[in-house]
Amino acid sequence: MKVFGVAGYSGSGKTTLLEKLLPAIIAHGLRVSVIKHTHHNFDIDRPGKDSFRHRQAGAGEVLLASASRWVLMNELRGAPEPSLADYLARFSPCDLVLVEGFKDEAVPTLEVYRPANGKPPLWPERRQIVAVASDEPLPAGFPATLMALDLNDTAAIVRYILDTVQLRGTTHVVL
């Protein structure tokens, strides 16, 4: 299983980019999964539903299952957040996991950078960033060691990701 990250500030277009990348990568015969990290408290369950009531009653894990999907909810109950490696270990076998967020993990990462957002770039502080995709020209002094990509060129970004994680040239991929 190969892992590649996508990072950037909120509102930069990470999720929109992933929505474009997923079908383009899958079209090459690869099985792809996604991990989305959020700093916000979230809940996919609804008060009053049986699974919500089970968690409220103290269950450490609740698995919801149907004929079309299943989800496993785990309550940390004060335990430390698992690492990216811990989360990856829970995935079914696949060719590639795209990771949205986890900006500090040591996996090759593409930064989605939009200067118009007024936020500073992440690349000067994070060594795992190997490429930057932007919808505007990158600033003077952009490091030659990083790949600059057009945020709107999905095919080029897919080629870069597959080359970086060494999935090109396998029996799955024809570019």
Side-chain angles (χ1 to χ4, degrees), residues 35-66:
I35 294 179
K36 161 74 173 145
H37 187 266
T38 182
H39 295 288
H40 310 290
N41 190 14
F42 73 94
D43 201 335
I44 62 170
D45 213 356
R46 294 191 318 252
K49 292 296 186 180
D50 293 350
S51 53
F52 186 91
R53 293 170 58 193
H54 297 161
R55 288 187 305 123
Q56 291 299 105
E61 289 188 329
V62 175
L63 191 139
L64 288 159
S66 77

Side-chain angles (χ1 to χ4, degrees), residues 7-8 21 26 30 35 37 63 69 76 84 103 134 164 170 174:
L21 294 176
I26 291 165
L30 297 171
I35 294 179
H37 187 266
L63 191 139
R69 72 185 52 88
L76 294 177
L84 177 58
K103 291 185 270 203
S134 183
T164 300
T170 67
V174 178

Side-chain angles (χ1 to χ4, degrees):
M1 172 186 323
K2 307 291 185 161
V3 180
F4 191 89
V6 176
Y9 288 101
S10 180
S12 63
K14 299 179 302 291
T15 300
T16 301
L17 177 61
L18 285 172
E19 286 176 315
K20 293 176 183 177
L21 294 176
L22 284 163
I25 294 170
I26 291 165
H28 293 291
L30 297 171
R31 184 169 177 172
V32 184
S33 296
V34 174
I35 294 179
K36 161 74 173 145
H37 187 266
T38 182
H39 295 288
H40 310 290
N41 190 14
F42 73 94
D43 201 335
I44 62 170
D45 213 356
R46 294 191 318 252
K49 292 296 186 180
D50 293 350
S51 53
F52 186 91
R53 293 170 58 193
H54 297 161
R55 288 187 305 123
Q56 291 299 105
E61 289 188 329
V62 175
L63 191 139
L64 288 159
S66 77
S68 57
R69 72 185 52 88
W70 65 272
V71 62
L72 176 63
M73 292 180 285
N74 182 293
E75 291 292 322
L76 294 177
R77 307 225 184 267
E81 181 180 359
S83 68
L84 177 58
D86 293 331
Y87 291 128
L88 290 170
R90 292 186 166 271
F91 268 105
S92 299
C94 64
D95 300 302
L96 176 64
V97 177
L98 294 172
V99 178
E100 181 180 342
F102 288 98
K103 291 185 270 203
D104 296 319
E105 290 289 335
V107 298
T109 300
L110 168 83
E111 178 179 358
V112 178
Y113 177 63
R114 292 186 188 263
N117 284 355
K119 304 277 188 184
L122 297 173
W123 74 77
E125 304 298 324
R126 292 184 167 80
R127 293 178 188 242
Q128 69 275 21
I129 294 176
V130 295
V132 177
S134 183
D135 59 348
E136 296 181 31
L138 293 167
F142 181 76
T145 56
L146 297 179
M147 174 64 101
L149 296 160
D150 180 341
L151 185 55
N152 298 308
D153 190 347
T154 303
I157 296 171
V158 167
R159 281 192 304 274
Y160 180 78
I161 291 170
L162 297 180
D163 283 346
T164 300
V165 298
Q166 300 176 347
L167 280 174
R168 285 190 67 181
T170 67
T171 57
H172 293 79
V173 180
V174 178
L175 290 179

